[in-house]
Amino acid sequence: MSSSTVPSTSLAPRARRRPVGEVVLGVDTHRDAHVAAVLSVMGAVLATGEFPATAAGYRSRC
């Protein structure tokens, strides 16, 4: 897996924190895990998260 200089934080549950305005979601896919990042349109990192690339991992982020 690639390294990053951005500290990893959990994606906030939908009810707790919603960005105001537009955001960009990026997902870096790998064989064993996927990493997602939510950015503001100005490029600020709002949240990041990593989850296993398995059926159980996909269900845990719904």
Side-chain angles (χ1 to χ4, degrees), residues 28-50:
D28 189 7
T29 59
H30 299 277
R31 184 185 68 191
D32 297 323
H34 299 324
V35 179
V38 179
L39 308 172
S40 73
V41 291
M42 298 301 291
V45 177
L46 303 175
T48 64
E50 179 177 348

Side-chain angles (χ1 to χ4, degrees), residues 4-59:
S4 172
T5 58
V6 177
S8 179
T9 59
S10 296
L11 290 173
R14 291 182 192 136
R16 279 186 36 204
R17 187 174 82 191
R18 290 184 179 217
V20 177
E22 294 183 32
V23 297
V24 177
L25 169 67
V27 179
D28 189 7
T29 59
H30 299 277
R31 184 185 68 191
D32 297 323
H34 299 324
V35 179
V38 179
L39 308 172
S40 73
V41 291
M42 298 301 291
V45 177
L46 303 175
T48 64
E50 179 177 348
F51 57 97
T54 62
Y58 301 146
R59 282 191 301 274

